[in-house]
Amino acid sequence: MSVFVPAEQLRERIHTGKNQTIIAALWEPEEGKAWSKFQSEHIPTAKFCDPSAVLSGLPGRRVGRNPLPHLDVVVKAVRSWGVDKSRPTFIYDTGSGLFAARAWWLLRWLGIDDVFIVDGGFRAWDAAGLETIAGPGNLSVAAHVEPSPGALPVATLEDVKEFTGLLIDARGARRYSGRREIFDLKAGHIPGALNLPATDLFSAETGEVVSAAEIRERAATVGLTVDSDPAGAIAYSGSGNHSALLLAALAHAGLPVVTHFVGGWSQWAGDAANPVATDL
């Protein structure tokens, strides 16, 4: 299986009784609303994940808006969901892919390899007319997972300052250029970074990933190929979500999962001493 799998493929696994773990990484701006939506309708056997509580740590100017969570927090959650290295894990969100990709990257970073994203998320599942259930979700049998943090490469702010290789900004073109910024303290991008918007690799209508060939073609425009050294490139976004989505798309197309600067632009822009580039 590639990283992104069709909703029908997961439905077939559930229908035929195959073993897997399903995680619903759902976020809503209104507190408690995501949990309420999950309780009213979700994919059978799914476990609920609150991205703001589990997939990121406490925000701050020095660490960015969505820093890495404390290791104990995410490991406890992973075990409570029943994630086991002996069976695949499937993750879905409402359809943007952002929170599913964040969870995918974190699990891969922890050394869990068989992790997949439902292509198009719950929107695709619902559009296909596939069955859902209500309630708090299945009871989980806690699994003992021995994490291996660092299984995927991570860059610190200092690493980025000293980096001379390929730096990829996964945000939209307007934010990259400095024409629009509503989340962070400054507008623009890290000097030397090239723009490869993660959302350009997904259908605007369905949220589903484009073909592997198209992803490789777009990646080649910034100099990233199947032969690239993962340590020779760093990807970032505003706070690690769009860059996680980009990394998932690259892996889906057989490209290397490059180093991730999770703090991203929010951490870089939080220090007034850091230089800013724009296309204005």
Side-chain angles (χ1 to χ4, degrees):
M1 289 183 287
S2 297
V3 173
F4 291 87
V5 300
E8 291 84 353
Q9 186 173 341
L10 177 57
R11 189 266 177 191
E12 182 63 21
R13 289 186 60 92
I14 297 171
H15 185 69
T16 56
K18 289 184 169 63
N19 289 324
Q20 61 267 319
T21 301
I22 304 174
I23 300 171
L26 307 178
W27 180 85
E28 294 286 345
E30 182 181 337
E31 186 176 356
K33 190 173 182 180
W35 172 237
S36 295
K37 283 190 173 183
F38 176 83
Q39 287 185 298
S40 65
E41 190 177 30
H42 60 264
I43 294 175
T45 75
K47 315 298 192 302
F48 178 73
C49 165
D50 180 354
S52 60
V54 176
L55 304 184
S56 62
L58 293 174
R61 178 176 292 191
R62 293 184 177 181
V63 294
R65 283 185 283 111
N66 292 303
L68 280 173
H70 193 284
L71 183 60
D72 290 345
V73 171
V74 69
V75 170
K76 181 180 179 181
V78 167
R79 289 174 175 167
S80 71
W81 296 326
V83 173
D84 193 304
K85 292 183 179 182
S86 67
R87 59 177 177 263
T89 296
F90 296 85
I91 309 170
Y92 74 91
D93 57 22
T94 56
S96 70
L98 291 176
F99 300 106
R102 176 84 178 205
W104 171 86
W105 183 86
L106 268 175
L107 290 179
R108 291 289 314 279
W109 175 75
L110 285 172
I112 301 166
D113 294 328
D114 290 333
V115 188
F116 307 93
I117 297 171
V118 179
D119 198 11
F122 190 78
R123 176 169 52 175
W125 186 277
D126 190 49
L130 304 179
E131 61 267 30
T132 62
I133 61 173
N138 279 33
L139 292 175
S140 299
V141 177
H144 181 75
V145 179
E146 205 55 60
S148 303
L152 291 181
V154 175
T156 66
L157 180 64
E158 293 305 316
D159 292 334
V160 176
K161 288 180 178 180
E162 299 173 2
F163 189 64
T164 58
L166 174 62
L167 190 58
I168 303 172
D169 189 317
R171 297 174 299 160
R174 287 178 62 81
R175 291 186 68 198
Y176 167 83
S177 67
R179 289 179 170 82
R180 180 177 184 269
E181 184 57 68
I182 61 173
F183 299 109
D184 297 314
L185 298 174
K186 299 177 185 178
H189 58 268
I190 300 174
L194 301 178
N195 193 207
L196 180 59
T199 53
D200 286 1
L201 306 180
F202 296 81
S203 165
E205 289 75 29
T206 67
E208 294 173 326
V209 70
V210 302
S211 71
E214 187 172 348
I215 294 171
R216 289 192 291 268
E217 182 178 348
R218 292 299 305 274
T221 64
V222 297
L224 189 65
T225 71
V226 293
D227 297 321
S228 295
D229 179 0
I234 293 175
Y236 75 92
S237 58
S239 58
N241 291 340
H242 283 87
S243 42
L245 186 61
L246 174 64
L247 295 178
L250 296 178
H252 181 75
L255 291 158
V257 180
V258 303
T259 303
H260 194 187
F261 175 33
V262 179
W265 179 248
S266 60
Q267 185 179 14
W268 183 274
D271 186 344
N274 288 333
V276 172
T278 70
D279 291 344
L280 302 179

